[in-house]
Amino acid sequence: MQGHFPVGKVFCILVVRRREMKTKELEQQRIIQGLKDADSEVIDEFIQQFSRPLFGVILNYTKNPPDAEEILQDTLLRVIRKIDTFRQESDIWPWMKRIAINNSIMWLRKRRASRGREIQLEEFAPTFSEDGHLHGSLFRWSVDPEDVILNAELASQLYEAIQSLPFEYRVPLVLRDTEGYPIKQIASLLGLKESTAKTRIHRGRLAVRRKLADYLEGRG
Amino acid sequence: MRHFLNCKDCFGLLMDYLENSLDSETQKKLDQHFAACPPCLNFLESYRDCSKMAQQLRDQQVEIPKELENRLKTFLQEQM
């Protein structure tokens, strides 16, 4: 199942079905050796095999395709230059993905000038009565979270909801919810206090929840 | 911490509740509140569903134009 996402000037296709990224051991050995030898055929193969998933990872952080292209170039180059430090017994994909994520974050931190707006809690939080009771009736969503893989429209809504967050909220949310990083590591990567990282993830989730609620509850 | 938690108290502790970072007594109070309060339970489930759905976007594949792939090849060949 595929969802189509117009991202800037480049029309990207998000293949919602996740690909098993584990690389076969023999194949991996061959690629690593080829990169070490600067074998141009292997480098071309390496680009064909890994540039798409790496571009997908990077777009989660930068969302702007020209910026993502620049980061992707740098990531591929870093992978080749650091290939001697890679522990051969492990799988190469998580290692490359970590380089892509770190690179995206470094890139974003350098460009702090383009800060997004602050998300205020009141914008997306539910409302409460004076005695602290939740206002109004809330719908129960009749959706299985795993349906995102099968439902391109839902995936598109979710993707758009996450992409629309200012990067201060999007990045910690993607690191926590999409990549499963622990809060402590997110705070350290982003140079934030753990409490700030938690607040941003929470507010990001609330904003995404509201957007999906508008879609799933037919209010959008 | 009060003996009973109202909806607003639970909302304020939601993130820590899902991270399992509350003490066991407070965690239990939230469990009890969610079991007895359908609107809060619906909110909790939808909030948690958002995280689970975002997890499904992991390792997504993005089509990239052939020209980009060619630019990457040229760039890397030049750098080697």
Side-chain angles (χ1 to χ4, degrees), chain A residues 134 140, chain B residues 33-35 37-46 48:
Chain A
L134 190 57
R140 191 190 177 107
Chain B
H33 182 93
F34 289 127
C37 180
C40 277
L41 182 63
N42 287 342
F43 188 87
L44 166 74
E45 285 180 346
S46 60
R48 189 160 42 196

Side-chain angles (χ1 to χ4, degrees), chain A residues 13-15 18 48 52 55-56 60 69 80 97 131-132 138 149 176-178 198 202 205 209, chain B residues 6-8 16 19 42 46-47 51 54-56 58-64 68-69 71 80:
Chain A
I13 299 173
L14 177 81
V15 179
R18 277 186 293 163
Q48 269 168 4
R52 290 171 191 185
F55 199 63
N60 278 334
E69 179 177 340
I80 295 173
K97 187 160 77 161
D131 58 359
L138 285 164
I149 302 171
R176 182 74 195 109
D177 289 344
T178 306
K198 274 162 78 172
H202 180 55
R205 282 178 183 165
R209 188 204 156 275
Chain B
N6 63 29
C7 305
K8 196 174 181 180
D16 289 316
E19 291 288 329
N42 287 342
S46 60
Y47 179 95
S51 296
Q55 199 186 342
Q56 301 296 318
R58 192 172 187 187
D59 295 345
Q60 62 189 343
Q61 300 281 301
V62 176
E63 285 300 323
I64 60 174
L68 170 53
E69 211 171 279
R71 282 201 297 275
M80 300 310 291

Side-chain angles (χ1 to χ4, degrees), chain A residues 127-135, chain B residues 2 4-9 33:
Chain A
T127 53
F128 300 92
S129 62
E130 270 186 27
D131 58 359
H133 280 90
L134 190 57
H135 261 311
Chain B
R2 291 202 312 272
F4 290 107
L5 298 177
N6 63 29
C7 305
K8 196 174 181 180
D9 297 327
H33 182 93

Side-chain angles (χ1 to χ4, degrees), chain A residues 2 16-17 20 32-33 40 46 55 58-59 67 123 133 140 145 148 151 175 178 180 190 197 200 203 213:
Chain A
Q2 294 183 337
V16 175
R17 183 182 60 242
E20 180 53 67
I32 292 169
Q33 196 52 52
S40 60
F46 164 69
F55 199 63
I58 293 165
L59 273 176
D67 296 344
E123 285 179 71
H133 280 90
R140 191 190 177 107
V148 171
N151 185 336
L175 287 171
T178 306
L190 301 176
R200 291 191 185 173
R203 291 185 185 187

Side-chain angles (χ1 to χ4, degrees), chain A residues 37-59:
Chain A
D37 298 341
D39 178 325
S40 60
E41 269 183 38
V42 174
I43 291 175
D44 285 358
E45 248 183 84
F46 164 69
I47 291 170
Q48 269 168 4
Q49 190 173 342
F50 292 108
S51 56
R52 290 171 191 185
L54 286 172
F55 199 63
V57 168
I58 293 165
L59 273 176

Side-chain angles (χ1 to χ4, degrees), chain A residues 142-205:
Chain A
S142 55
V143 61
D144 180 337
E146 297 207 351
D147 283 353
V148 171
I149 302 171
L150 306 167
N151 185 336
E153 195 182 334
L154 178 60
S156 173
Q157 293 287 335
L158 173 67
Y159 188 76
E160 293 291 327
I162 294 173
Q163 290 282 306
S164 69
L165 295 174
F167 88 84
E168 288 88 347
Y169 299 88
R170 188 177 68 252
V171 173
L173 181 134
V174 169
L175 287 171
R176 182 74 195 109
D177 289 344
T178 306
E179 300 295 345
Y181 278 36
I183 304 269
K184 196 172 178 179
Q185 194 180 349
I186 296 170
S188 157
L189 263 174
L190 301 176
L192 301 171
K193 288 181 187 167
E194 281 186 41
S195 56
T196 309
K198 274 162 78 172
T199 301
R200 291 191 185 173
I201 294 165
H202 180 55
R203 291 185 185 187
R205 282 178 183 165

